[in-house]
Amino acid sequence: MNNKITTTKSESILNFSIQNKFVFVFFVLIFILISSVLTAFQKMEYSSMAKVLVIQNQQMQMDAYIASKSSEAITKNLSDAILSSSFRSKVIEKYPDTPFVFYASEKQKRNYWKKQIDVKIIPNTSILEIKTYNESSFDSEKFLNNIVSTLFETHHDYRLATSNGPQTA
């Protein structure tokens, strides 16, 4: 009699684990289906990246540590400048073929610009990493080249105020 009770317990455990397998498989299939649908409707986007090393024109009496920190501050100024509306205007003015969607309001333009560009500073290196995003790989590369060219042409406009007076990048 005791064997019969054990058998029914093992059968119930077996039935419970089989039911859980079906529930687990069901949720996995639902997850795969939702992921596939979301992937199918997502836009394809390409990116291009450039790294710019910022080196300050050093004065003879300048300490290496101070020069390094100064270059990092200039890098921060340049990263802020790239995301600014005035820099965006300079890029579009110099390169009318820049792949940029024109919106009615300044806020929409600024938001679109920030979605298209990612600017990061690599810590303790004075290296500025610029990434551009676009639906076309060619346009993404062209956009990045236009930004970097404008940065090289206008970098002297973004000055760093120090105790010795303004220093150019």
Side-chain angles (χ1 to χ4, degrees):
M1 187 104 167
N2 202 5
N3 284 342
K4 195 170 191 178
I5 294 173
T6 307
T7 307
T8 40
K9 283 184 180 180
S10 64
E11 285 177 358
S12 68
I13 291 173
L14 181 65
N15 286 337
F16 182 73
S17 65
I18 289 173
Q19 288 174 351
N20 281 343
K21 285 181 186 177
F22 288 127
V23 169
F24 178 75
V25 168
F26 174 74
F27 281 116
V28 167
L29 290 175
I30 292 294
F31 177 76
I32 290 172
L33 179 68
I34 291 172
S35 299
S36 299
V37 168
L38 290 176
T39 302
F41 289 112
Q42 189 175 4
K43 289 182 180 178
M44 189 77 140
E45 198 168 64
Y46 296 93
S47 69
S48 297
M49 181 183 67
K51 291 183 179 180
V52 178
L53 176 63
V54 177
I55 301 173
Q56 180 182 10
N57 291 334
Q58 294 186 7
Q59 301 169 358
M60 294 303 278
Q61 69 271 18
M62 186 177 281
D63 182 21
Y65 177 78
I66 293 172
S68 170
K69 289 300 176 184
S70 180
S71 292
E72 287 180 22
I74 292 170
T75 304
K76 172 73 172 111
N77 286 352
L78 290 175
S79 72
D80 291 342
I82 290 172
L83 296 174
S84 71
S85 299
S86 63
F87 186 83
R88 180 191 70 230
S89 298
K90 287 178 185 179
V91 171
I92 294 171
E93 180 182 306
K94 287 182 190 263
Y95 303 98
D97 63 337
T98 299
F100 186 72
V101 178
F102 293 96
Y103 289 100
S105 74
E106 184 63 28
K107 185 177 180 179
Q108 288 175 326
K109 289 179 188 176
R110 213 173 312 124
N111 288 338
Y112 183 76
W113 184 257
K114 288 181 180 180
K115 285 180 186 176
Q116 298 298 101
I117 301 173
D118 184 26
V119 181
K120 292 182 182 173
I121 301 170
I122 299 176
N124 301 322
T125 61
S126 299
I127 295 177
L128 191 62
E129 183 180 271
I130 305 168
K131 283 187 182 178
T132 58
Y133 302 94
N134 202 302
E135 293 175 10
S136 162
S137 62
F138 177 77
D139 285 345
S140 178
E141 189 72 26
K142 182 170 41 170
F143 194 29
L144 180 66
N145 290 335
N146 293 349
I147 290 170
V148 171
S149 296
T150 304
L151 182 64
F152 286 153
E153 292 169 7
T154 62
H155 70 277
H156 51 80
D157 293 342
Y158 307 104
R159 298 180 186 268
L160 173 68
T162 62
S163 59
N164 298 335
Q167 301 289 324
T168 60

